[in-house]
C-alpha cells in the first residue's frame, strides 16, 4: 500500500500534521498540501480564547514557510478542491497559483467543518467564528463596549462569551438545549459552568431557540427579545463531506472511514473533524471535533502510507476548553447513554456498562493526566480505580 | 534576539534565534526543530513540549507555572527535577544562550 504521490486536501492542523508525519516516517514521495485559506496553516483553538483580546497572528502559525521548503512539501494556499476525479486519480483545483488538475497516488481528505447555519431568519446579521479572518473581524467589533448576543452555548460560544464579558461587554447566551455543552459534557459539569458564567454576569437563556436575528438583536422562539448590537453565531458545525459524497465515497455524519481511517476507496483516507470513524472503545461511528483526533488520525495515516503499518486506530480522545479561569479537560469519550457521578471536587466520571468511559475535570490537571493513562490502559477502567486516583 | 540551543535525545544540537517573549516551544516550532510537538499550542493542556533545562540554566529558567507540574505527570518520557513544559518558558534577554535537552519521546 505505497503511493509515490500523496495529496492532502485541507491545510488545518490535521492536514499539516499528515504532511509532517509522512516526512518524519521517512516517506520519500511527493507531498502536496492544498488549503482553501490564505497564509500558512495555523492553530484554531486560540481563536475563541487568548487570541481574541490580544493574541498575535504570528504565534498561531504552526510551521514557518521555510519548513515547507526544507521538507519538500508543496503548499498551495488559497486553493479550493472542486472535484475528486477518482477514475483519473486527480483533483480539479481552483486557485491563483494552483494547477487546474493535480494527480494523486493517495489522497488524504482533511476538509474539516464549516459553521452550521440553523434555520433562523436574518442570520446575515450574525458573525461566525471559525477562521483567523473571522477572529480578526470579531476583535475589531470587541473594541467598543456593547451588548452582545451569542447563539449557541457550546465550547466556542462560551469561550467567546467569557472573553467578551471580561472585556466589559454585556453578554447574553442563547442555547436551544436545556443545558450548556449538552453534546460534550455531563449535566454536573454543565451546571458548574452555568454557575460560573452567571456569576461573571453573563445572561444564559437555556431551552429556547433563536427565532430571528436583525440589526438590533435576537428574537427568541418563546417571544422574548435580546437586544444586541452584535450577534455571534456559534451553533455548531457541519462536516465538509460534499466533495467526498460527490465522488461517490460513503458519507453520513462526515466521511465514513474504517479502523484504518480509509474511506470506501482504498486510495483515499480521511482525518479529523470531517471523518466519521469507529470509536475504538465502543465500536460506534463517531466524529470528533478536536486537535487530538485530527493529529492522531494524521499520524496513523502517515505511518500506514510510509511504512505499511496496519494497526487500527486506537488513540484515546481528549478535549479541552478554557472559559474565564475555568479549565475544562476531558479524557475519553462518553456515549449518549453514559451515566455521571461526581467523584471529587471538579472531577466527574462518565460510565456505562463497559465501565469508565470518560473523566471530566475542572482545574484538576493532575487527575486529568492520570485519567488519560487509566483510560488508555488495556484493562477496562473502573469507577473505583478513578476514586482511588482522585483521593490520592 | 535570544539564542536557544536544543539538544536532541541523540545528542544533536541545534541553535536558533528567537524573539524575546516567544516561548521555548514556539521558538522550536517556528525554527523547525524536531522533538517538540506542542499539540495544544501552549495552553498547558497536553504535555507534548516536555524538555529538560540544562544544569547551567536550572535557576535562570525560573520555576514551574501553576498546573505545569500536574501536566508533566502525563509526559511520555521520564520526568526529572529539571523537566519543564517548554511552552511555559518565556524567552527574555537574560535567557540568551539557554540550553534545553529534549526527551526521547513526546507522545
Amino acid at each position: 500500500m505505497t503511493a509515490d504521490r500523496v495529496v492532502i486536501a485541507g491545510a488545518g492542523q490535521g492536514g499539516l500534521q499528515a504532511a509532517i508525519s509522512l516526512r518524519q516516517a521517512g516517506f520519500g514521495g511527493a507531498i502536496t498540501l492544498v488549503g482553501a485559506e490564505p497564509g500558512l496553516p495555523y492553530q484554531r483553538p486560540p481563536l475563541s480564547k487568548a487570541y481574541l483580546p490580544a493574541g498575535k497572528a504570528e504565534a498561531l502559525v504552526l510551521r514557518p514557510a521555510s519548513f515547507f521548503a526544507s521538507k519538500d512539501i508543496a503548499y498551495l494556499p488559497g486553493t479550493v478542491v472542486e472535484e475528486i476525479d477518482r477514475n483519473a486519480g486527480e483533483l480539479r483545483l481552483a486557485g491563483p497559483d494552483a494547477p487546474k488538475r493535480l494527480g494523486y497516488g493517495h489522497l488524504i481528505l482533511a476538509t474539516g467543518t464549516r459553521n452550521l447555519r440553523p434555520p433562523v431568519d436574518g442570520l446575515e446579521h450574525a458573525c461566525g467564528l471559525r477562521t483567523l479572518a473571522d477572529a480578526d473581524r470579531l476583535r475589531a467589533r470587541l473594541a467598543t463596549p456593547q451588548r452582545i448576543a451569542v447563539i449557541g452555548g457550546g465550547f466556542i460560544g462560551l469561550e467567546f462569551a467569557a472573553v467578551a464579558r471580561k472585556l466589559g461587554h454585556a453578554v447574553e447566551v442563547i442555547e436551544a438545549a436545556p443545558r450548556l455543552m449538552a453534546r460534550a459534557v455531563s449535566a454536573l459539569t454543565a451546571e458548574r459552568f452555568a454557575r460560573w458564567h452567571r456569576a461573571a454576569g453573563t445572561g444564559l437563556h437555556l431551552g429556547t431557540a433563536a427565532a430571528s436575528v436583525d440589526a438590533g438583536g435576537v428574537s427568541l422562539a418563546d417571544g422574548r427579545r435580546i437586544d444586541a448590537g452584535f450577534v455571534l453565531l456559534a451553533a455548531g458545525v457541519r462536516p465538509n463531506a460534499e466533495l467526498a459524497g460527490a465522488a461517490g465515497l460513503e458519507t453520513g455524519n462526515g466521511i465514513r472511514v474504517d479502523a484504518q481511517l480509509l474511506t470506501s476507496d482504498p486510495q483515499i483516507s480521511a482525518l479529523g473533524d470531517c471523518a466519521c470513524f469507529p470509536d475504538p472503545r465502543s465500536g460506534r461511528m463517531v466524529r470528533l471535533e478536536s486537535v487530538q483526533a485530527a493529529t492522531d488520525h494524521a499520524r496513523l495515516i502517515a505511518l500506514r502510507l510510509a511504512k505499511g503499518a496496519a494497526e487500527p486506530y486506537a488513540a484515546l480522545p481528549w478535549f479541552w476548553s478554557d472559559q474565564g479561569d475555568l479549565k475544562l479537560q476531558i479524557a475519553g469519550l462518553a456515549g449518549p447513554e453514559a451515566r455521571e457521578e461526581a467523584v471529587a471536587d471538579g472531577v466527574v466520571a462518565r460510565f456505562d456498562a463497559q465501565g469508565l468511559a470518560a473523566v471530566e475535570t475542572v482545574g484538576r490537571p493532575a487527575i486529568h493526566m492520570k485519567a488519560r493513562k487509566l483510560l488508555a490502559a488495556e484493562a477496562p477502567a473502573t469507577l473505583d480505580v478513578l476514586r482511588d486516583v482522585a483521593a490520592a | 534576539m535570544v539564542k536557544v540551543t536544543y539538544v536532541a535525545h541523540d545528542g544533536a544540537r541545534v541553535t536558533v534565534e528567537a524573539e524575546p517573549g516567544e516561548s521555548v516551544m514556539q521558538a522550536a516550532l517556528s525554527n523547525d526543530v524536531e522533538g517538540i510537538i506542542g499539540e495544544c499550542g501552549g495552553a498547558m493542556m497536553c504535555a507534548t513540549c516536555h524538555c529538560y533545562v540544562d544544569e547551567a540554566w536550572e535557576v535562570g529558567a525560573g520555576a514551574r507555572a501553576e498546573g505545569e507540574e500536574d501536566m508533566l505527570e502525563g509526559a511520555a518520557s521520564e520526568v526529572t527535577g529539571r523537566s519543564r513544559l517548554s511552552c511555559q518558558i518565556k524567552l527574555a534577554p537574560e535567557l540568551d544562550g539557554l540550553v534545553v535537552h529534549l526527551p526521547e519521546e513526546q507522545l
Side-chain angles (χ1 to χ4, degrees):
Chain A
M1 208 7 237
T2 52
D4 58 350
R5 267 186 312 172
V6 175
V7 175
I8 304 162
Q13 197 159 352
L16 174 66
Q17 185 65 50
I20 295 170
S21 294
L22 276 166
R23 284 293 183 245
Q24 276 173 355
F27 178 75
I31 302 175
T32 306
L33 180 64
V34 182
E37 289 183 58
L40 292 165
Y42 60 90
Q43 305 167 47
R44 283 187 209 283
L47 296 182
S48 50
K49 310 179 183 87
Y51 179 75
L52 271 180
K56 286 194 220 157
E58 310 87 79
L60 299 181
V61 167
L62 287 159
R63 288 293 185 279
S66 59
F67 167 84
F68 297 90
S70 74
K71 294 291 186 286
D72 194 19
I73 294 164
Y75 175 47
L76 300 176
T79 301
V80 175
V81 179
E82 298 200 308
E83 185 193 355
I84 306 168
D85 181 345
R86 289 166 59 200
N87 289 328
E90 287 182 345
L91 299 183
R92 192 157 59 79
L93 303 179
D97 306 310
K100 290 271 172 283
R101 298 186 78 85
L102 178 66
Y104 63 84
H106 195 89
L107 173 63
I108 301 174
L109 295 172
T111 49
T113 60
R114 63 184 179 278
N115 287 338
L116 172 67
R117 298 183 73 79
V120 174
D121 290 337
L123 274 189
E124 67 276 11
H125 296 287
C127 295
L129 172 48
R130 167 144 200 91
T131 64
L132 184 55
D134 291 338
D136 289 339
R137 264 193 296 275
L138 292 185
R139 181 186 282 184
R141 299 298 297 265
L142 289 173
T144 44
Q146 58 186 314
R147 301 184 67 84
I148 297 175
V150 177
I151 299 176
F155 284 3
I156 303 290
L158 293 173
E159 288 167 0
F160 174 84
V163 171
R165 189 69 202 109
K166 196 173 176 200
L167 291 173
H169 302 280
V171 183
E172 308 281 338
V173 175
I174 301 152
E175 168 56 53
R179 64 178 174 89
L180 299 176
M181 302 179 282
R183 216 162 42 95
V185 304
S186 64
L188 285 165
T189 299
E191 185 47 40
R192 174 161 187 174
F193 276 82
R195 280 197 305 274
W196 185 90
H197 283 283
R198 286 194 172 111
T202 295
L204 300 181
H205 305 271
L206 305 179
T208 180
S212 66
V213 183
D214 54 58
V218 183
S219 297
L220 306 186
D222 64 10
R224 277 182 293 167
R225 171 79 186 168
I226 310 282
D227 290 329
F230 167 57
V231 179
L232 178 78
L233 174 66
V237 296
R238 274 282 157 82
N240 291 325
E242 289 74 9
L243 193 63
L249 299 178
E250 202 183 316
T251 60
N253 186 27
I255 303 165
R256 310 283 281 201
V257 294
D258 64 13
Q260 307 284 335
L261 308 179
L262 277 171
T263 67
S264 50
D265 179 339
Q267 266 185 289
I268 306 177
S269 303
L271 65 78
D273 292 17
C274 70
C276 186
F277 67 100
D279 172 37
R281 179 177 180 272
S282 66
R284 275 183 307 134
M285 292 300 282
V286 295
R287 191 180 60 74
L288 302 181
E289 294 151 14
S290 74
V291 166
Q292 173 276 323
T295 54
D296 280 336
H297 284 170
R299 292 185 186 102
L300 181 111
I301 292 169
L303 279 179
R304 166 158 54 73
L305 294 176
K307 297 188 165 169
E311 298 285 310
Y313 181 74
L316 180 79
W318 57 269
F319 309 86
W320 84 89
S321 177
D322 280 320
Q323 297 172 31
D325 51 15
L326 293 187
K327 271 179 177 293
L328 169 67
Q329 293 175 294
I330 304 169
L333 182 66
E337 74 295 344
R339 286 174 294 157
E340 59 186 76
E341 185 176 318
V343 170
D345 181 37
V347 184
V348 175
R350 312 282 310 268
F351 56 98
D352 54 28
Q354 279 178 272
L356 192 63
V359 179
E360 299 162 0
T361 54
V362 180
R364 303 294 302 267
I367 292 178
H368 169 73
M369 292 313 260
K370 284 178 180 155
R372 271 162 67 169
K373 283 186 183 164
L374 191 61
L375 288 163
E378 219 144 287
T382 66
L383 206 51
D384 283 340
V385 177
L386 179 66
R387 280 198 193 95
D388 292 345
V389 165
Chain B
M1 296 299 266
V2 183
K3 280 200 174 71
V4 191
T5 298
Y6 301 84
V7 185
H9 188 68
D10 65 6
R13 299 170 77 91
V14 185
T15 300
V16 309
E17 291 201 340
E19 298 275 354
E22 261 192 301
S23 72
V24 171
M25 181 273 289
Q26 283 169 331
L29 296 190
S30 57
N31 288 285
D32 204 1
V33 176
E34 283 185 16
I36 285 186
I37 296 177
E39 191 122 296
C40 75
M44 255 214 300
M45 292 288 179
C46 74
T48 63
C49 66
H50 180 196
C51 72
Y52 306 101
V53 174
D54 189 82
E55 232 169 328
W57 290 91
E58 208 172 338
V59 176
R64 289 174 183 166
E66 194 192 336
E68 186 178 339
E69 187 143 340
D70 290 340
M71 288 307 290
L72 277 167
E73 179 98 34
S77 294
E78 188 198 357
V79 175
T80 73
R82 290 191 310 211
S83 286
R84 293 291 310 270
L85 292 180
S86 58
C87 68
Q88 298 302 312
I89 307 175
K90 293 276 179 285
L91 290 168
E94 56 272 25
L95 286 183
D96 189 29
L98 176 70
V99 178
V100 298
H101 301 259
L102 303 181
E104 187 170 9
E105 46 186 10
Q106 296 282 13
L107 285 170

